[in-house]
């Protein structure tokens, strides 16, 4: 399947590499491919710059957002939540109409420093905002309640834990569920329509506190029943 991953950060890179490993034709979307590829210095956390990473993953194409999404059956939103709507506008409704859009972004607001708050919650969600802005897109929320490594490789934990799926279209959710199984997720819980993404997005404040308490992001939620 031709798959577009929007976002060149560690989440986008990790998901893109896993998809390529599974045999997908993958293109990472960015605002300015030339600028992204020119970055070669590691960041403050020691992560390689995107240009270095891209050179090490030649099977993954790099293109402008709209070009990456053109003709893609699956579009994965791995952007910063605050930029997601703007990025999807750049993708264009013509590329989103009828496409499965897997939204893994979170509405994190860092304007007052750490820990971040949520810029939408309770009565709305980022996933719902995306669905309203692009009504012909088949938006599915999933994977936003764990770190990038566990999104792609849940088997790193002795128990992979649970992953949640929200969306209005049953066939789109089936596509995403199949992908989650390919990644190695075993306990996949369909929460219902896209409004249920409010709940999974509001897990992020708890997730952030757990990271602080445990000293590692290598954990996941598990629904025991």
């Amino acid at each position: 399947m031709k798959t577009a991953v929007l976002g060149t950060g560690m989440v986008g890179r990790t998901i893109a590499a896993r998809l390529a490993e599974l045999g997908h034709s993958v293109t990472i979307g960015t605002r300015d491919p030339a600028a992204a590829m020119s970055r070669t210095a590691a960041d403050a956390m020691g992560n390689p710059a995107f240009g270095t990473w891209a050179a090490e993953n030649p099977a993954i194409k790099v293109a402008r957002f709209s070009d990456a999404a053109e003709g893609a059956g699956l579009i994965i939103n791995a952007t910063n939540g605050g930029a997601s709507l703007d990025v999807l506008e750049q993708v264009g409704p013509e590329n989103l109409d009828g496409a499965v859009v897997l939204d893994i972004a979170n509405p994190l607001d860092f304007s007052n420093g750490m820990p971040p708050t949520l810029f939408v919650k309770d009565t709305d969600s980022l996933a719902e905002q995306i669905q309203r802005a692009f009504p012909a897109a088949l938006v599915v929320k999933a994977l936003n309640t764990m770190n990038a490594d566990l999104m792609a490789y849940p088997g790193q934990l002795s128990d992979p834990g649970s992953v949640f799926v929200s969306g209005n279209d049953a066939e789109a959710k089936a596509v995403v569920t199949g992908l989650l199984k390919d990644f190695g997720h075993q306990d996949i819980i369909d929460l219902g329509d896209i409004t249920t993404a409010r709940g999974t997005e509001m897990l992020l404040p708890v997730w952030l506190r757990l990271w602080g308490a445990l000293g590692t992001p290598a954990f996941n939620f598990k629904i025991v029943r």
Side-chain angles (χ1 to χ4, degrees), residues 44 61 77 82 85 111 149 164 167 209 224:
K61 302 179 183 69
N77 176 35
L85 288 169
S111 61
D149 285 342
F164 310 104
R209 270 59 174 193
V224 179

Side-chain angles (χ1 to χ4, degrees), residues 70-94:
E70 184 177 4
L74 175 64
I75 299 170
I76 300 177
N77 176 35
T79 63
N80 178 299
S84 292
L85 288 169
D86 175 61
V87 167
L88 290 167
E89 285 287 354
Q90 293 183 50
V91 167
E94 68 278 7

Side-chain angles (χ1 to χ4, degrees), residues 20-94:
E21 183 180 283
L22 292 170
H24 291 247
S25 174
V26 185
T27 302
I28 280 192
T30 184
R31 295 178 191 273
D32 185 336
M37 294 293 285
S38 70
R39 295 195 292 269
T40 57
D43 66 18
M45 298 182 67
N47 297 313
F50 181 73
T52 303
W53 178 88
E56 294 171 350
N57 292 271
I60 300 172
K61 302 179 183 69
V62 181
R64 293 186 182 278
F65 290 126
S66 58
D67 293 334
E70 184 177 4
L74 175 64
I75 299 170
I76 300 177
N77 176 35
T79 63
N80 178 299
S84 292
L85 288 169
D86 175 61
V87 167
L88 290 167
E89 285 287 354
Q90 293 183 50
V91 167
E94 68 278 7

Side-chain angles (χ1 to χ4, degrees), residues 96-221:
L96 295 169
D97 290 1
V100 178
V101 178
L102 171 54
D103 174 34
I104 62 179
N106 280 302
L108 297 176
D109 178 0
F110 292 92
S111 61
N112 292 313
M114 290 290 289
T117 57
L118 302 179
F119 62 75
V120 58
K121 58 184 177 179
D122 301 323
T123 59
D124 200 3
S125 65
L126 177 60
E128 289 172 83
Q129 291 183 346
I130 293 170
Q131 186 65 87
R132 285 197 302 273
F134 306 98
L138 307 175
V139 180
V140 179
K141 189 82 179 190
L143 289 176
N144 66 301
T145 55
M146 62 197 76
N147 76 346
D149 285 342
L150 293 179
M151 291 179 191
Y153 299 97
Q156 294 180 62
L157 297 179
S158 58
D159 184 332
S162 305
V163 61
F164 310 104
V165 175
S166 302
N168 295 337
D169 187 273
E171 291 184 7
K173 287 194 285 189
V175 169
V176 170
T177 296
L179 181 67
L180 297 177
K181 290 178 179 178
D182 290 344
F183 281 2
H185 292 279
Q186 300 170 19
D187 186 25
I188 303 167
I189 302 175
D190 185 343
L191 294 178
D193 68 22
I194 198 66
T195 65
T196 63
R198 300 172 192 179
T200 55
E201 290 181 9
M202 286 193 292
L203 278 175
L204 262 293
V206 177
W207 188 92
L208 288 161
R209 270 59 174 193
L210 282 167
W211 182 359
L214 299 174
T216 175
F219 63 88
N220 192 16
F221 295 103

